[in-house]
Amino acid sequence: QETHKNDQILTYIGQILKTSYLYNIEWYFSKSMKLRLFILITLFLSTTPILGQIAADSIHTKVVLEGNPEVLALRSEEDNSLYDIRQRQDWEPYNRTYVTSDSHDIWLKLELINSSNETVFNYLYSEDHYQTIYLQNNSELKILKNGVYIPLNERSNKLESFFTKIEVPPLQSVEVYIRLRIHSRSFPVSYPEIYSEKGYWNLSRQIRQAESKSIGFIYFYIISLITLITFAVVFWIRLRKKLYLYYLGYLFFQLIYGFLVLRNTVAPIGNFFRYFPETAYNLFEPIQFIFIAFYIFFILHLLKMEKYDNLLAKVTFYLGVFCIIYAGLRFLLSYFFYDPKLIGIIFSGIRLIILPLNLILIIWIIYKVKHPLLKYFIVGQSLFFAGSILASYLGSTNTHLVPGHFFNFKEAPNVIFQIGLLAEVYCFSFALGQNIFLLQKDKNIANEALIEQLKKNRLLQEEMNKELDIKVNEKTTELIELYTQLEQQKEKEIKADFTQKLKTMKMMALRSQMNPHFLFNSLNAIKHLMMTARNDDAITYLDDFSTLLRSILQNSSRETITVEEELEILELYLSLEKNRIGESFDYSISVTSREALSQYYAPPLFLQPFAENAIWHGLYPSNKKEKKLNITFDTSESLKIIIEDNGVGRQASRMKEKLHKSMGMKITKERLSLFNHLNNPTIHLVFTDLLEGETSLGTRVTLTYTN
């Protein structure tokens, strides 16, 4: 019985020692019960810590700080310093009422004592976003930072955001102040704990095992996207089509999203967003809407919606634009005006708008679009839609945070969303492959048609060769009999000479018509100035007109003049028109080389009708404030003359010609035809309507000298 009582005493002392965290002492030092009791009591009295201390060297696995009588707590504002906290007297025992929120921080105070001769390492476990630990050892103050929102280069633990290593020197005590903050309460309340080194490794291994499947899938998601992006880049470089550019943007921003999700795990590779945690948080939702916008633009081009329904194409396009605008506004809101409640309302509200609208568009596309690749869109969109709904449900209800739930795993909403995204990506990869097949099929059909056409051309060429052989034979016969046809040839030459003279006479007749036409228009201009009481302008105009008339009379007997001389007549004519019309009309003449113009010839008064036509039928009817006429003489290669106005255009001018038909252009074209027949080089004439959409910007006349 005495032995039994002694054993009970030993058990009781052992429980006391366990309470003081000295459970690892060897109980059986001697066979003598009295000696054992003496040794145990002596050890107990010499090593039991004083009240208010936690024995760092005796923590077996962990110590829960919540409810621990050795831990004190208080609430504070965000800007309170350690000095302010030490001055406060309202410390209370740490209990469940002390919970971090976005409006206040929680401070904890405790003391760790190491009674051993070796340095002890403990680990603070906390899921709060910001953890700052102040370690006061004698006069030395050490500050440790950790948490998912602390940049990686500032963390004391580079591998894990929730474990902070605390070092307690041998035979010393350390005063510990812990400051806990959160960015927003999106996770269940958890209370900090202090783990021994053994407990840390066990829990760290359990956490990594629990997250391994999620991390594995996220890596698979990232690697798949990188592979597809490589192919998309190659296709875009080779084909340079918007379809592949939008698909590339769709994949790239999904890849960024994958790395953003990876930031919330303990994954060791590719977790570079841990260096920019707050930026990553602000980008998280905007990135999703950016790649959705690229997806919308990609679908718009893949299915060629405008071909089937223009309204559907416009609605789809503006939905993509809305997603980009929302992404930008959402990022700015998070970055400058962060409000967790407002963000939560926007998160739920925007999905209540986007998801039903997305469903309506799916039904609309299925009903209207009859593209061969529609089946891939239906399957991919259905998988994405299912993943989005399930992920939104889990994110808004926090169902994935319920222990034992089927979706209770790390980053469950994002992983499910990524599953839907990846399935959709694979569907569209198959669709792009099928699209290339269809394009190749069309190309093969076109090639077959081309080959068939080439065969026909070859047969035609053979027939033409046969005809050519017959003609060559005929010509050979004609050459043999040529000496009998000398008289006929002379007759033909006489007839050709007569024809040439006839055309020359016609050229002179046209020139004689041209001068009266110009005189008629000039006199009308003088009449207009006099009738509008612009007498001074009329006198100036009459002086210049007389000078111009003298030049015309001097050149009237010549069949051709140099372009340099024609330029001088044109300058005088335009100055007359400037005086007549006033400041609203402006013209410019650009000449590369006046000396080079002397090497080219043209009919007298050849350019004036084009300028006149631009002024009277293009600029004069125009309502524009600035009426411009630009004339360029480019002699860099051959001579090119460009006459360009910003008038009403030829279409509007034709409507007015019904009332007043200009004869100048008709005469000039006939003169041009005769000039080309008689001279070399010839002058090539081109009229160009300057348009912007359906709006006329004016007319360009191009005269090119060609050999």
Side-chain angles (χ1 to χ4, degrees), residues 331-347:
F331 177 78
L332 294 176
L333 179 65
S334 296
Y335 194 84
F336 294 104
F337 313 101
Y338 181 75
D339 184 345
K341 293 182 180 178
L342 178 61
I343 293 297
I345 294 172
I346 294 175
F347 176 87

Side-chain angles (χ1 to χ4, degrees), residues 206 237 258 411 593 693:
Q206 292 173 11
I237 291 175
E411 297 299 314
S593 172

Side-chain angles (χ1 to χ4, degrees), residues 23 56 59-62 120-123 163 194-206:
Y23 71 96
I59 301 175
H60 177 54
T61 303
K62 69 175 180 179
V120 173
F121 296 100
N122 294 146
Y123 294 83
F163 273 119
I194 293 181
Y195 280 79
S196 65
E197 197 159 10
K198 175 183 177 182
Y200 159 71
W201 287 112
N202 288 336
L203 181 58
S204 179
R205 184 172 58 254
Q206 292 173 11

Side-chain angles (χ1 to χ4, degrees), residues 16-25 43-44 46-65 68-71 110-116 118-123 166-176 194-197:
I16 295 174
L17 292 174
K18 285 182 179 181
T19 305
S20 63
Y21 309 106
L22 298 176
Y23 71 96
N24 55 344
I25 297 178
L43 288 171
F44 174 73
S46 63
T47 60
T48 302
I50 62 175
L51 185 64
Q53 294 177 334
I54 296 176
D57 57 322
S58 300
I59 301 175
H60 177 54
T61 303
K62 69 175 180 179
V63 173
V64 179
L65 300 185
N68 193 312
E70 315 301 341
V71 182
L110 55 100
E111 187 172 0
L112 293 174
I113 184 170
N114 180 11
S115 302
S116 67
E118 297 180 355
T119 300
V120 173
F121 296 100
N122 294 146
Y123 294 83
I166 300 175
E167 179 182 348
V168 184
L171 302 175
Q172 294 187 34
S173 64
V174 176
E175 188 177 11
V176 182
I194 293 181
Y195 280 79
S196 65
E197 197 159 10

Side-chain angles (χ1 to χ4, degrees), residues 563-624:
V563 176
E564 183 180 15
E565 293 173 321
E566 181 69 9
L567 172 59
E568 294 173 357
I569 297 173
L570 181 64
E571 289 175 333
L572 190 56
Y573 168 74
L574 290 176
S575 68
L576 291 175
E577 291 297 71
K578 173 72 175 177
N579 291 334
R580 180 179 65 84
I581 298 175
E583 296 299 326
S584 63
F585 168 67
D586 190 20
Y587 71 92
S588 67
I589 299 177
S590 174
V591 183
T592 305
S593 172
R594 283 184 175 263
E595 294 179 358
L597 295 181
S598 63
Q599 301 175 8
Y600 295 91
Y601 291 87
L605 212 63
F606 175 62
L607 296 177
Q608 181 271 339
F610 293 102
E612 177 186 347
N613 190 64
I615 294 170
W616 284 83
H617 302 289
L619 297 175
Y620 194 79
S622 174
N623 295 325
K624 296 178 181 177

Side-chain angles (χ1 to χ4, degrees), residues 290-331:
I290 290 177
F291 71 67
I292 288 174
F294 275 96
Y295 155 76
I296 291 171
F297 296 144
F298 167 71
I299 288 299
L300 189 63
H301 283 74
L302 179 68
L303 300 181
K304 299 179 179 178
M305 293 186 191
E306 69 283 354
K307 178 180 177 182
Y308 300 97
D309 191 323
N310 193 42
L311 178 60
L312 172 61
K314 287 184 177 179
V315 172
T316 306
F317 173 78
Y318 286 124
L319 178 61
V321 173
F322 168 78
C323 289
I324 292 178
I325 294 174
Y326 170 74
L329 294 177
R330 175 67 172 78
F331 177 78

